[in-house]
Amino acid sequence: MPEFNAGAMENAGAVTIRDQYVFRSKVTDAAYETRAETILHELAHMWFGDLVTMEWWNDLWLNESFATYTSIACQAYAPGSKWPHSWTTFANSMKTWAYRQDQLPSTHPIMADIRDLDDVLVNFDGITYAKGASVLKQLVAYVGMDAFFQGVQEYFKAHAFGNTRLSDLLGALEKTSGRDLKTWSKKWLETAGINILRPEITLAADGTVASFHVRQEAPALPSGATGEPVLRPHRIAIGCYDLQDGKLVRTDRIELDVDGELTAVPFPAGTRRPDVVLLNDDDLSYAKVRLDEESLKVVTAHLGDFTESLPRALCWASAWDMTRDGELPTRDYLALVLSGIGKESDIGVVQSLHRQVKLALSMYAAPAWRETGMARWADAALEQLRAAAPGSDHQLAWARAFTAAARSGAHLDLVQGLLDGRETVQGLVIDTDLRWSLLGRLAATGRADEQAIAAELERDRTSAGEQHAASARAARPTAEAKAAAWAAVVEADTLPNAVQEAVIGGFQQYDQEELLAPYTAKYFAAVKGVWDTRSHEMASQIAIGLFPTLHISPETLETTDAWLASAEPSAALRRLVVESRAGVERALKARAADAAAG
Ligand SMILES: [Zn+2]
């Protein structure tokens, strides 16, 4: 479906899928994996959603979490699957999304309180899809996989073509597993936030392990979030890893129930401590995990040396989480990524790291150091691009990362040369979509004008071409280009949704803060009127996409607070603005942490 504003929709007998999933240029295997996951997700809805439907929207997560969980489980376990490492992708994308959403002021229990249809629309969020699916994965670990699927089958037999609520599913699972799920459900589904798990290991005089505990902390709920911070029951695995011939190999795995504040780990007394102790190995539970000092030292030097992709993804995620929390300065995060990314074989993880480094450098780096960090990243990206195997997914991913990072004259000359065909990288095909990436970067840095954009559109007269051209025009670093983009989106109301999205994406450029500064006031003057007069889909693109996310200053917080106090926005609009405000607040903290490390 052209311009479909979701990934896909599970209409019984006529699943609709967005047109971007028909690939027209080379994409990496991560894109095929995502597309397969979407198809499986809609297929899963034939049961959860279509055959059995929730009674009311507060159980929406039952549809979405189940569809997400089973589609990834199918990729992981189906014989002959092309993506047996799909839990790595899950850890690295879905969970990161869930953790981010669950730390916003708007966080809510998975079982949401749904008052009206506005509530429903903003609730298709990271809690409903990603946290819900993570908690479902935890539920499977808690009751056991066989009991889980037996219970689900009973549930479908009993309720086919009917409506249900959560208790119907939990009742079926209690019967097949024999475990009490009332307390579990109360703690996991009716409360918000993420617990932190930390290992506490003491050594005896001879260097062997004297005691080993897991300490659980209640979620630090952001101000404005409702609910009580709780400790939860977690079914987790603990991975013990040792360095063997330069590789981090799992030498032991302990699975146990963690409950309450302190849980003793059955670790054989008198045994040497492993080089790395990884809590929540295999990613069974949903928790922020910290490494103890010894493990952190080894991981910092050897993150790329885990033989399996999932523990690497968990350590990458932990480092990213610490960066977002200001516990790891952005410059140290960049150093960690640079030391390990060259050994990362999982293309989805590599691409996530690209996005996270870009975000960290533009939002979380101390302004005084940012240029240095960006130059270092651009140099490294070019080095990786040149070193990647010709024609490989890694080569394509690094070509895109380098293009996005290019800032110096020499780097932008190379971008221009690749587009013109004067420069080549062996095996790298400059196809339609890659041409647009190159041109988009040249437009954003003032090297491609309207004529160049129009010429490119002439080569690619498709709806995707129209969107790329609109984005490139909005990205140009001139006051006129910004004014035209703003007028097209905010003042007129005539753009198709995909074009509007493209213009917004081009408008916000991290190295154009000065040009964008006047738009903070314009945003707050306009957003309520936009919200009240446009459809939910169009208005939320604008409310989220044009918020002054890149204007990271105490002044942005003050302006936002003044607007919140006086504008009387609807609950849904208030929520979107409060979420964006939290992003600026977090960036200010992370910048301070990075500056302190300088
Ligand atoms: Zn769905």
Side-chain angles (χ1 to χ4, degrees):
M1 282 194 84
E3 306 237 332
F4 192 36
N5 55 23
M9 178 68 207
E10 69 266 22
N11 313 295
V15 171
T16 48
I17 297 182
R18 70 185 319 189
D19 60 341
Q20 282 93 331
Y21 275 142
V22 181
F23 304 132
R24 59 189 200 136
S25 294
K26 179 176 162 72
V27 292
T28 66
D29 190 55
Y32 288 96
E33 183 182 356
T34 304
R35 182 173 71 181
E37 195 268 321
T38 300
I39 293 170
L40 288 166
H41 177 107
E42 305 313 321
L43 189 57
H45 274 315
M46 297 302 133
W47 287 265
F48 256 95
D50 292 357
L51 180 65
V52 176
T53 309
M54 72 225 173
E55 208 170 271
W56 176 242
W57 293 96
N58 58 345
D59 277 328
L60 171 66
W61 76 278
L62 260 188
N63 285 7
E64 297 309 337
S65 310
F66 193 90
T68 299
Y69 171 79
T70 46
S71 61
I72 293 168
C74 176
Q75 286 181 306
Y77 307 133
S81 166
K82 279 183 162 180
W83 298 284
H85 300 300
S86 59
W87 289 123
T88 300
T89 309
F90 182 75
N92 163 57
S93 54
M94 279 289 166
K95 284 213 147 162
T96 317
W97 181 22
Y99 293 150
R100 190 178 71 229
Q101 187 99 38
D102 209 0
Q103 295 176 80
L104 289 171
S106 58
T107 189
H108 55 83
I110 291 174
M111 291 260 310
D113 191 15
I114 301 291
R115 298 156 298 184
D116 55 27
L117 289 180
D118 247 7
D119 277 353
V120 175
L121 288 169
V122 288
N123 237 56
F124 281 85
D125 65 7
I127 301 292
T128 299
Y129 283 77
K131 181 178 178 182
S134 311
V135 167
L136 217 45
K137 190 179 183 201
Q138 168 62 185
L139 180 59
V140 175
Y142 195 70
V143 300
M145 192 172 293
D146 290 344
F148 178 80
F149 281 108
Q150 265 171 30
V152 166
Q153 286 176 12
E154 299 292 321
Y155 166 87
F156 283 129
K157 276 184 206 140
H159 299 285
F161 302 104
N163 296 79
T164 57
R165 44 180 75 183
L166 171 71
S167 49
D168 296 316
L169 177 68
L170 292 185
L173 294 177
E174 279 186 332
K175 231 184 261 168
T176 53
S177 73
R179 278 197 104 151
D180 164 38
L181 294 178
K182 282 171 199 73
T183 312
W184 184 92
S185 155
K186 210 169 184 47
K187 292 194 168 171
W188 277 103
L189 303 175
E190 296 168 35
T191 61
I194 315 166
N195 301 110
I196 299 181
L197 301 180
R198 294 180 197 273
E200 287 187 357
I201 301 169
T202 54
L203 299 182
D206 63 355
T208 59
V209 174
S211 72
F212 186 174
H213 291 87
V214 176
R215 182 173 292 279
Q216 179 178 191
E217 293 173 19
L221 290 173
S223 62
T226 49
E228 292 283 302
V230 287
L231 300 179
R232 302 188 175 105
H234 298 261
R235 182 80 185 167
I236 65 163
I238 298 175
C240 302
Y241 291 84
D242 282 311
L243 270 171
Q244 293 177 359
D245 302 325
K247 294 278 170 207
L248 273 171
V249 180
R250 184 155 83 180
T251 46
D252 201 4
R253 177 186 186 275
I254 305 161
E255 190 170 319
L256 75 162
D257 285 319
V258 163
D259 207 352
E261 205 176 314
L262 207 59
T263 305
V265 178
F267 195 82
T271 324
R272 195 187 69 83
R273 75 150 281 159
D275 292 331
V276 174
V277 171
L278 183 58
L279 299 189
N280 199 27
D281 201 6
D282 298 334
D283 203 24
L284 301 179
S285 193
Y286 174 83
K288 283 156 83 100
V289 162
R290 293 293 184 251
L291 295 162
D292 67 302
E293 214 171 302
E294 271 307 300
S295 302
L296 184 62
K297 251 190 250 163
V298 178
V299 166
T300 304
H302 294 281
L303 205 160
D305 297 323
F306 282 102
T307 50
E308 298 294 321
S309 65
L310 187 52
R312 281 200 307 272
L314 296 174
C315 290
W316 285 126
S318 178
W320 174 237
D321 185 48
M322 288 170 74
T323 308
R324 279 172 37 85
D325 283 355
E327 289 179 37
L328 185 68
T330 296
R331 62 197 68 197
D332 293 354
Y333 176 68
L334 179 64
L336 177 66
V337 170
L338 291 180
S339 77
I341 195 169
K343 295 180 192 162
E344 183 53 69
S345 56
D346 188 299
I347 187 64
V349 173
V350 169
Q351 287 177 287
S352 279
L353 290 170
H354 289 168
R355 282 190 293 274
Q356 287 164 359
V357 166
K358 189 177 175 210
L359 184 65
L361 288 172
S362 49
M363 307 266 304
Y364 303 153
W369 175 80
R370 198 166 77 145
E371 288 292 325
T372 312
M374 285 185 165
R376 198 168 291 164
W377 175 239
D379 287 340
L382 180 55
E383 215 172 282
Q384 294 286 346
L385 167 60
R386 298 232 185 260
S392 64
D393 282 358
H394 279 63
Q395 186 188 48
L396 176 60
W398 281 111
R400 291 206 194 114
F402 166 70
T403 304
R407 288 158 67 78
S408 69
H411 284 170
L412 289 169
D413 286 347
L414 177 56
V415 170
Q416 181 79 59
L418 287 169
L419 183 63
D420 298 344
R422 281 181 290 110
E423 300 264 9
T424 52
V425 175
Q426 199 206 336
L428 182 69
V429 178
I430 311 292
D431 57 18
T432 309
D433 283 340
L434 190 52
R435 284 188 65 88
W436 279 115
S437 299
L438 297 164
L439 185 78
R441 186 63 192 145
L442 293 171
T445 50
R447 288 198 169 211
D449 58 10
E450 168 55 32
Q451 215 181 346
I453 298 168
E456 196 62 33
L457 182 56
E458 200 49 50
R459 294 174 64 121
D460 180 24
R461 297 210 59 89
T462 63
S463 62
E466 296 274 356
Q467 291 154 30
H468 285 302
S471 178
R473 286 186 180 118
R476 284 170 300 159
T478 65
E480 295 73 35
K482 297 297 160 194
W486 186 268
V489 171
V490 179
E491 286 152 28
D493 180 14
T494 51
L495 295 179
N497 71 35
V499 177
Q500 175 175 294
E501 197 175 18
V503 173
I504 290 172
F507 179 84
Q508 297 266 34
Q509 295 287 330
Y510 63 85
D511 42 11
Q512 296 176 358
E513 280 103 337
E514 258 174 59
L515 273 173
L516 295 174
Y519 291 93
T520 298
K522 286 183 201 275
Y523 172 88
F524 287 110
V527 69
K528 187 159 183 267
V530 164
W531 190 267
D532 292 340
T533 54
R534 309 216 188 155
S535 69
H536 172 83
E537 283 74 16
M538 299 300 272
S540 44
Q541 273 183 8
I542 295 172
I544 298 167
L546 289 181
F547 183 91
T549 302
L550 300 174
H551 194 180
I552 297 162
S553 69
E555 184 201 332
T556 302
L557 298 182
E558 283 159 27
T559 313
T560 310
D561 291 340
W563 181 86
L564 286 168
S566 65
E568 299 180 350
S570 68
L573 175 58
R574 170 179 292 275
R575 170 177 166 170
L576 297 181
V577 170
V578 164
E579 287 179 353
S580 297
R581 182 196 182 281
V584 173
E585 198 174 28
R586 182 178 282 278
L588 281 168
K589 268 191 215 149
R591 281 186 175 188
D594 189 45

